[in-house]
Amino acid sequence: MIRDAIRETLRSHDTRRSLSVVVPVYNEQEVLPEFHRRLCTVLATLDMNSQIIYVNDGSTDGSLDVIHGLDARSVRLQLVDLSRNFGKEIALTAGLDHADSDAVVVIDADLQDPPELIPELVSHWLDGYDVVYAKRTQRDGEGVVKRATAFLFYRLIQKMSRVAIPEDTGDFRLLSRRAVDAIKQLREQHRFMKGLFAWIGYPQKAVPYRRAGRFAGTTKWNYWKLWNFALEGITSFTGGPLKVATYAGLASALAALTYGAYFAVRTLLYGNPVPGYPSLVVIVLFLGGIQLLSIGIIGEYLARMFDESKKRPLYFLKTGRSVAPFRRAAPV
Ligand code: UDP
Ligand code: MG
């Protein structure tokens, strides 16, 4: 108790810059001790007043106990314990909401993001960049299909969206205070974080690194989840797919017109022997398909509007305290 009070007093007189490290944790009991050890070693080399914020995203294994047992002698520890599993994006947001430092680093607990890169991120921040993101040059431990789909996805979203979302970056990055404050104002339920980080603007800088395989445990991703993640990214950042209906409609109208003209001419020249059953079926099926597809696309957007319109808080904490949706100051 007294030791805590002394440390708090010392901290409040600390004039160094402060750094928080936000770590979303979902069933990471095997990795956490090693992760914590490596992170603390790195933080000790920085001359900063640092703290680690572990966000327990409703882990069902022993992660919470492991966090409670972590060594807090050399660094301040904060635990944000969510009321259930909300997903990584929301866990990250909860961590950012609780960080009050000059800069915040966001990092995965599975050691795929090397903590040893943090000093380099910090040095670019000191040079004046607001968002310093780690860009992977190589992905170890990931198959060809995963690499190919990731590659395609980044190229696609790059083409479709107006903000430049950097390729081959995860969430591992450093954010300045004003970047964090900007992110905190974006309270949408569907959080495509890479997009949001890019959307806020401010000077951004890429730092290349080699992404390792997971240290232990298993990834929570499968192809269905990745597909939905891609949908999330596209629908959150571009209305482009909504135009499919317009253009498909236009194209099929043109095709119908041409086909009609061809029939008119042919009937005039050769009479009408009433064939054409297969072409009729093909056309009906084709149009039916396009219509269903268009309705589906509209549905994707509508479902997201439905979620947003409920204006629910993004998460609840185990302690019963929830962070209210960020409110902008009343206009003066
Ligand atoms: N994570 C989380 N909530 C989830 C899923 C994952 O907080 O619902 C955390 C997880 O503990 C890890 C990070 O997010 O620290 C990245 O998860 P994972 O390694 O499964 O994703 P990948 O590296 O494959 O993208
Ligand atoms: Mg991982």
Side-chain angles (χ1 to χ4, degrees):
M1 255 342 251
I2 295 175
R3 217 179 58 194
D4 284 351
I6 294 174
R7 266 178 40 198
E8 201 46 48
T9 324
L10 282 177
R11 196 180 67 77
S12 56
H13 287 86
D14 196 340
T15 51
R16 294 175 301 170
R17 288 178 212 252
S18 55
L19 176 76
S20 305
V21 180
V22 168
V23 191
V25 176
Y26 178 56
N27 295 350
E28 302 282 6
Q29 61 178 7
E30 299 96 351
V31 214
L32 269 174
E34 172 67 8
F35 170 80
H36 187 70
R37 194 189 58 72
R38 270 175 64 182
L39 182 59
C40 286
T41 313
V42 171
L43 291 180
T45 64
L46 290 173
D47 183 30
M48 294 179 86
N49 174 9
S50 40
Q51 100 166 310
I52 308 177
I53 303 178
Y54 284 107
V55 184
N56 177 33
D57 187 16
S59 297
T60 50
D61 67 352
S63 295
L64 190 60
D65 295 331
V66 175
I67 295 175
H68 280 302
L70 288 176
D71 180 4
R73 279 173 304 180
S74 61
V75 69
R76 269 194 306 149
L77 279 189
Q78 192 182 346
L79 169 69
V80 175
D81 197 10
L82 301 186
S83 61
R84 64 169 169 86
N85 178 251
F86 282 92
K88 182 184 174 186
E89 282 71 28
I90 291 189
L92 275 185
T93 310
L96 292 179
D97 287 343
H98 286 80
D100 56 1
S101 51
D102 299 327
V104 180
V105 166
V106 172
I107 188 170
D108 284 1
D110 59 5
L111 287 172
Q112 279 192 289
D113 306 334
E116 291 73 22
L117 202 67
I118 293 177
E120 199 178 338
L121 302 183
V122 168
S123 75
H124 290 294
W125 166 59
L126 293 174
D127 288 345
Y129 288 99
D130 285 274
V131 179
V132 188
Y133 55 89
K135 188 176 162 82
R136 30 183 192 246
T137 50
Q138 205 162 356
R139 294 164 151 227
D140 293 349
E142 285 176 352
V144 182
V145 185
K146 170 132 191 215
R147 290 211 298 259
T149 44
F151 178 87
L152 277 178
F153 168 67
Y154 283 117
R155 300 309 176 282
L156 182 71
I157 195 151
Q158 206 67 267
K159 282 256 168 345
M160 293 175 78
S161 135
R162 272 187 54 205
V163 284
I165 296 169
E167 299 148 17
D168 301 331
T169 53
D171 293 326
F172 183 26
R173 63 190 68 217
L174 179 145
L175 304 164
S176 70
R177 183 74 254 161
R178 70 174 174 171
V180 174
D181 287 342
I183 290 287
K184 278 165 73 175
Q185 291 185 47
L186 310 179
R187 301 311 284 190
E188 55 225 68
Q189 297 281 338
H190 292 271
R191 309 183 70 75
F192 181 63
M193 293 309 278
K194 288 184 241 285
L196 298 185
F197 290 138
W199 189 86
I200 57 168
Y202 296 129
Q204 310 214 349
K205 167 97 183 160
V207 174
Y209 79 109
R210 192 184 162 139
R211 186 162 167 92
R214 253 181 170 277
F215 179 76
T218 49
T219 174
K220 281 94 204 168
W221 291 98
N222 53 39
Y223 280 102
W224 178 241
K225 278 197 182 163
L226 280 174
W227 163 248
N228 281 306
F229 178 72
L231 269 189
E232 199 74 70
I234 291 170
T235 50
S236 308
F237 277 85
T238 161
L242 286 171
K243 295 185 184 143
V244 165
T246 319
Y247 291 108
L250 214 70
S252 53
L254 270 177
L257 223 72
T258 324
Y259 204 36
Y262 162 72
F263 269 122
V265 173
R266 206 181 67 168
T267 313
L268 284 177
L269 291 182
Y270 305 108
N272 183 11
V274 202
Y277 176 68
S279 56
L280 202 66
V281 171
V282 168
I283 291 171
V284 168
L285 283 183
F286 174 72
L287 286 183
I290 296 269
Q291 281 161 16
L292 284 182
L293 178 75
S294 311
I295 294 176
I297 292 172
I298 296 172
E300 289 289 335
Y301 284 90
L302 197 66
R304 283 170 177 79
M305 283 173 62
F306 173 63
D307 283 343
E308 300 299 345
S309 68
K310 287 184 276 199
K311 297 233 179 312
R312 290 183 182 161
L314 287 179
Y315 55 86
F316 285 105
L317 300 182
K318 272 265 175 58
T319 51
R321 193 168 62 91
S322 81
V323 172
F326 192 89
R327 264 182 264 281
R328 280 177 212 160
V332 279

